[in-house]
Amino acid sequence: MENIKELHSLLQQPKNIVILSHRNPDGDAIGSSLGLYWFLKEYHHHIQVIFPSDYPTFVAWMPDANKIMICDTEKEKSFEKILSADIIFCLDFNALDRIDPMEDVMKKTTAKIVMIDHHMFPENFSEFTLSKTDRSSTCELIYEFIDLLHETEKINQKIADCLYAGMITDTGSFKYNVFPSTMRVAGALLEAGANNDFIQEEIFNSLGEKELRLLGHCLYNRMEIHEELETGIIYLTKEDFETFDIQRGDTEGIVNYILKLKNVRVAAFIKEQPTIIKLSMRSKGDFSVQEIATKYFKGGGHKNASGGYFYGNIENCIDRFKRSVKNQLALEK
Ligand code: 5GP
Ligand code: MN
């Protein structure tokens, strides 16, 4: 961010600020949004965090999570906030279709737009941009942003807890997506008071019985392994959603279990939703699920973790995924 000084001076006077993150917000989306929110509160700005859709319960402990506006339920108010903002921070996404239905109103706002994000191939819609793919998470980049402003001494425990939580969700507790900077920032957040034990419990050890049984169902009844493709797939049908009363966030992390298999390099978790089929893809090493997500499923993300969607029935979606892996493996040779 070469023009950071300009942004720094804008932030010196109280402003109307909106912080936006992507649909189906994950720990990094909410952690970076609330971490930045608590940091900007130090400057007495008027701040509203807005998400397109609601967040999962395992992040509801974050301070002021209950003040986040959800566009799906408060559409007009969300649009008004965007149109009357002086500055809008776009966190953990780099393509405006990730904040549908706010995409159009974003094109009309006169606010200064700031993008802080760690996905590949950013779109060109921001005046201030901190976009790096060699970072674990947007939370790590929020720390870097605060450091660029020379304001790390303002990081209090609330900010540290939120940012640390996002870092552990996007790295699976520092198992993947880890760079030297990741550990340095995590250390600094612990020094600033982040409560590792509490956050680990809230994020990784707070399943209900229903969710753990759902995991069992996925692994026992809904997992296909295709050895020739070094690929594993777990799918859930609409009926599964009813039988298990699956709610937002209940299926978080299930895709990662497939990668525990030694001979699997590619994994997909495929969910049949009311109108679309949503795919969550993961890989090990050099295999790029980002390319598959972009080429075949109108999506994107990172080399080893991407998402996308499909219109049609679930069998066709599974077939398309298998063919896409086959094509991608052929390209590797
Ligand atoms: P997850 O599988 O955890 O939902 O998402 C993994 C990664 O892929 C995240 O970084 C997320 O931002 C990205 N992603 C998930 N779904 C989509 C999508 O529909 N479009 C794009 N462009 N990225 C997605
Ligand atoms: Mn992220």
Side-chain angles (χ1 to χ4, degrees):
M1 199 183 278
E2 325 70 45
N3 45 1
I4 185 131
K5 281 207 174 115
E6 194 187 325
L7 182 55
H8 196 197
S9 67
L10 281 175
L11 291 172
Q12 298 312 307
Q13 300 295 326
K15 294 273 186 311
N16 287 320
I17 295 184
V18 165
I19 299 174
L20 292 178
S21 196
H22 58 80
R23 180 163 283 282
N24 300 324
D26 53 10
D28 191 28
I30 184 168
S32 57
S33 298
L34 289 177
L36 179 66
Y37 163 95
W38 284 108
F39 172 70
L40 293 173
K41 279 214 166 254
E42 297 281 311
Y43 296 82
H44 308 292
H45 296 296
H46 305 285
I47 314 159
Q48 181 65 56
V49 178
I50 308 177
F51 295 158
S53 61
D54 209 354
Y55 52 83
T57 51
F58 65 84
V59 291
W61 58 269
M62 284 191 204
D64 276 4
N66 57 342
K67 294 193 179 154
I68 294 172
M69 191 178 277
I70 306 299
C71 185
D72 277 353
T73 47
E74 292 194 273
K75 197 171 261 174
E76 292 309 318
K77 268 197 186 164
S78 304
F79 290 178
E80 268 168 38
K81 287 277 178 195
I82 289 172
L83 290 172
S84 60
D86 302 310
I87 305 175
I88 299 178
F89 283 87
C90 296
L91 306 185
D92 204 36
F93 70 94
N94 63 15
L96 287 177
D97 70 350
R98 299 278 287 139
I99 54 162
D100 181 58
M102 292 176 277
E103 185 172 0
D104 290 338
V105 74
M106 277 295 280
K107 289 176 183 157
K108 291 185 194 135
T109 182
T110 54
K112 305 264 183 202
I113 298 179
V114 187
M115 179 203 292
I116 303 181
D117 178 63
H118 69 132
H119 295 89
M120 295 159 103
F121 310 122
E123 282 179 2
N124 187 10
F125 59 81
S126 52
E127 207 163 319
F128 301 93
T129 307
L130 185 60
S131 166
K132 295 186 179 181
T133 54
D134 57 346
R135 294 294 184 275
S136 64
S137 51
T138 300
C139 282
E140 186 180 326
L141 282 168
I142 296 291
Y143 181 90
E144 199 165 319
F145 174 67
I146 296 173
D147 195 22
L148 287 171
L149 298 173
H150 305 293
E151 298 283 15
T152 51
E153 78 284 356
K154 284 206 167 69
I155 298 183
N156 56 34
Q157 190 187 346
K158 282 179 180 159
I159 302 172
D161 278 344
C162 293
L163 297 183
Y164 191 83
M167 290 185 74
I168 67 168
T169 39
D170 262 25
T171 61
S173 257
F174 307 113
K175 279 201 290 290
Y176 40 77
N177 240 350
V178 170
F179 299 89
S181 56
T182 311
M183 294 315 207
R184 283 195 290 269
V185 171
L189 293 174
L190 290 173
E191 273 167 358
N195 188 341
N196 174 68
D197 293 0
F198 169 78
I199 300 169
Q200 298 281 357
E201 284 297 308
E202 287 293 324
I203 294 197
F204 295 113
N205 291 341
S206 23
L207 292 185
E209 180 182 341
K210 177 189 81 179
E211 291 149 83
L212 198 58
R213 292 199 187 279
L214 172 65
L215 172 65
H217 172 68
C218 286
L219 298 177
Y220 200 65
N221 303 314
R222 293 285 182 263
M223 186 171 74
E224 302 180 350
I225 301 301
H226 301 281
E227 274 175 31
E228 72 292 0
L229 299 174
E230 300 171 279
T231 293
I233 299 170
I234 291 175
Y235 63 93
L236 283 177
T237 63
K238 280 184 194 163
E239 291 72 39
D240 290 323
F241 271 79
E242 279 175 23
T243 313
F244 284 86
D245 183 29
I246 300 172
Q247 305 295 327
R248 194 179 295 284
D250 287 353
T251 57
E252 195 73 35
I254 292 180
V255 63
N256 296 312
Y257 283 87
I258 308 172
L259 291 185
K260 287 188 181 281
L261 291 167
K262 194 171 175 62
N263 297 328
V264 158
R265 281 201 294 152
V266 192
F269 182 59
I270 302 180
K271 290 190 289 193
E272 189 180 22
Q273 296 187 334
T275 50
I276 59 166
I277 299 193
K278 184 79 189 132
L279 293 94
S280 198
M281 292 164 262
R282 299 289 185 273
S283 62
K284 293 176 189 161
D286 283 339
F287 191 97
S288 171
V289 281
Q290 189 273 330
E291 286 189 35
I292 290 186
T294 312
K295 280 193 217 159
Y296 300 92
F297 296 104
K298 306 180 189 73
H302 316 273
K303 188 175 76 176
N304 295 133
S306 280
Y309 55 92
F310 177 83
Y311 288 99
N313 72 34
I314 196 156
E315 289 81 19
N316 291 346
C317 180
I318 293 173
D319 273 353
R320 187 176 178 84
F321 178 70
K322 280 158 58 182
R323 266 185 286 121
S324 69
V325 173
K326 198 172 175 185
N327 293 344
Q328 192 68 18
L329 286 170
L331 288 180
E332 273 188 354
K333 284 174 190 143

